[in-house]
Amino acid sequence: MSAEPELIELRELAPARCAAPVRTRLERANALRIAPGTARNNARQLVPGRGHRFQPAGPATHTWCDLCGDFIWGVVRKGLQCAHCKFTCHYRCRALVCLDCCGPRDLGWEPALERDTNVDEPVEWETPDLSQAEIEQKIKEYNSQINSNLFMSLNKDGSYTGFIKVQLKLVRPVSVPSSKKPPSLQDARRGPGRGTAVKRRTSFYLPKDAVKHLHVLSRTRAREVIEALLRKFLVVDDPRKFALFERAERHGQVYLRKLSDDEQPLRLRLLAGPSEKALSFVLKENDSGEVNWDAFSMPELHNFLRILQREEEEHLRQILKKYSYCRQKIQEALHACPLG
């Protein structure tokens, strides 16, 4: 690692919660380029990605498509997932996948105990409220223990700024705009709204040792950290596809806990001290099997209900068809048998 890490500045990030961005569905009529560096092709001329072994995704799979970026709705047909690289997509997107399978990715994970922020946590995970004097003392202790220039500083309004390091351990690929022109500063501030809809995407796997330092405020939330990291890498995937985890080593055991959207990473960093063993941050796919339905808009939820109804009706038709066929065969066998 270089002595001068690349920093992402989040000090000017507004603390108020922004409205949910309006996402534009990827139109399949467009030419989708997944492999970097390829020439423009019509969607019918795409070369399928090699090495994938797609299987139906399990019922607990609630995630976003790695190709088109849309959420994978449904219960019976949850989508497809490669058994090797975990590439996940809709059934309809399978024929458009051009990214070759990279095989199982060894990201150096240790055996870990997963903990969920939606359940009652043990006392050891609770974070106490600190007075202003205690915060000032904590900052002095923190700065005296670090061996770099990534200090924390107290602001006049009582907040404080500092640095957090985030490891990006992503198993699945990420998508970026296939256009070579980077987004402008206004586009970055506006976010992935209707005016910046991405119609063409290029997918690739991030290196397993990717690390980024962020300069953040004490009130910066985990959700804003995720969004800043995605903007830095020009990733156009839905931020809800990812989750920020805190990692801690205790008694020879590695613990991972998913942070809620409103938790403040710098506050956790101050309470834990500068030790990476006591606390570090990891960005992973949000594949915990649970869905924060409050994060979806009303049209998205209504669309999900319509999909559920269609799936239920289709499932009932298949069951009725199966039993009707069995009944017909039994009746044919009865008629073929002589009486007595």
Side-chain angles (χ1 to χ4, degrees):
M1 182 182 298
S2 60
E4 294 294 334
E6 184 179 5
L7 302 179
I8 302 176
E9 181 71 41
L10 288 185
R11 295 188 59 180
E12 300 303 324
L13 203 58
R17 179 180 293 274
C18 300
V22 179
R23 303 185 68 250
T24 302
R25 183 191 180 102
L26 178 71
E27 296 183 6
R28 298 178 62 198
N30 292 341
L32 302 175
R33 292 194 294 125
I34 305 301
T38 58
R40 289 188 177 183
N41 295 320
N42 187 275
R44 298 178 181 177
Q45 301 173 343
L46 291 175
V47 178
R50 295 171 295 180
H52 292 289
R53 185 162 68 89
F54 284 104
Q55 299 174 339
T61 302
H62 302 287
T63 187
W64 283 259
C65 179
D66 290 329
L67 186 125
C68 73
D70 287 343
F71 189 75
I72 300 178
W73 300 99
V75 175
V76 180
R77 291 172 62 88
K78 286 295 299 179
L80 297 168
Q81 186 174 73
C82 177
H84 302 309
C85 68
K86 305 304 179 183
F87 190 106
T88 306
C89 64
H90 295 97
Y91 278 85
R92 67 172 184 264
C93 295
R94 168 64 183 94
L96 301 175
V97 176
C98 294
L99 183 67
D100 291 342
C101 179
C102 68
R105 304 194 72 197
D106 181 15
L107 299 179
W109 286 115
E110 307 93 338
L113 174 62
E114 297 279 350
R115 294 188 181 273
D116 187 4
T117 55
N118 294 327
V119 300
D120 294 334
E121 298 291 344
V123 178
E124 59 180 332
W125 290 99
E126 295 180 356
T127 55
D129 292 328
L130 301 179
S131 65
Q132 194 64 22
E134 290 174 326
I135 292 176
E136 186 174 356
Q137 180 62 30
K138 281 280 189 182
I139 291 176
K140 289 180 180 179
E141 294 175 359
Y142 182 93
N143 290 339
S144 66
Q145 296 174 19
I146 62 174
N147 54 6
S148 66
N149 61 348
L150 304 180
F151 299 104
M152 288 194 188
S153 58
L154 187 64
N155 301 322
K156 293 181 178 180
D157 61 357
S159 64
Y160 50 95
T161 58
F163 300 86
I164 60 172
K165 183 174 75 172
V166 180
Q167 289 181 291
L168 285 75
K169 292 197 173 185
L170 301 177
V171 176
R172 293 158 52 189
V174 296
S175 298
V176 298
S178 60
S179 172
K180 295 182 179 180
K181 180 181 177 182
S184 64
L185 181 60
Q186 292 181 348
D187 292 338
R189 289 175 176 173
R190 184 164 56 242
R194 189 176 300 276
T196 57
V198 177
K199 300 292 185 181
R200 303 164 66 89
R201 304 156 68 96
T202 297
S203 297
F204 66 97
Y205 295 95
L206 282 176
K208 65 179 182 179
D209 56 351
V211 174
K212 287 296 176 184
H213 288 76
L214 298 94
H215 192 200
V216 300
L217 279 165
S218 56
R219 60 175 176 261
T220 301
R221 296 167 294 185
R223 178 178 59 85
E224 296 168 327
V225 169
I226 295 173
E227 293 171 353
L229 287 169
L230 298 185
R231 284 198 301 268
K232 177 61 182 178
F233 287 98
L234 305 181
V235 174
V236 295
D237 292 307
D238 195 300
R240 293 171 294 184
K241 177 182 172 181
F242 309 93
L244 191 64
F245 288 77
E246 70 170 14
R247 176 186 180 277
E249 297 182 25
R250 296 191 181 99
H251 312 296
Q253 174 68 53
V254 177
Y255 293 84
L256 288 175
R257 183 179 71 91
K258 186 174 74 173
L259 302 185
S260 65
D261 287 347
D262 293 326
E263 287 194 71
Q264 300 163 338
L266 188 61
R267 183 170 180 269
L268 298 175
R269 176 82 277 166
L270 177 63
L271 293 172
S275 172
E276 291 290 325
K277 288 188 176 182
L279 176 70
S280 60
F281 296 106
V282 182
L283 184 72
K284 295 174 52 183
E285 285 90 358
N286 188 15
D287 291 339
S288 61
E290 298 186 357
V291 180
N292 180 16
W293 298 112
D294 294 334
F296 290 91
S297 65
M298 291 298 293
E300 288 176 318
L301 294 175
H302 283 301
N303 183 55
F304 185 34
L305 290 176
R306 287 193 293 269
I307 292 174
L308 286 179
Q309 182 177 357
R310 287 200 300 267
E311 280 195 357
E312 182 182 11
E313 293 172 353
E314 177 63 25
H315 197 52
L316 288 174
R317 278 195 294 269
Q318 294 295 332
I319 293 176
L320 292 174
K321 182 179 179 181
K322 176 182 176 181
Y323 279 90
S324 177
Y325 177 80
C326 291
R327 186 180 299 107
Q328 178 184 350
K329 291 299 181 181
I330 293 173
Q331 291 174 349
E332 291 176 357
L334 287 174
H335 289 307
C337 292
L339 296 177

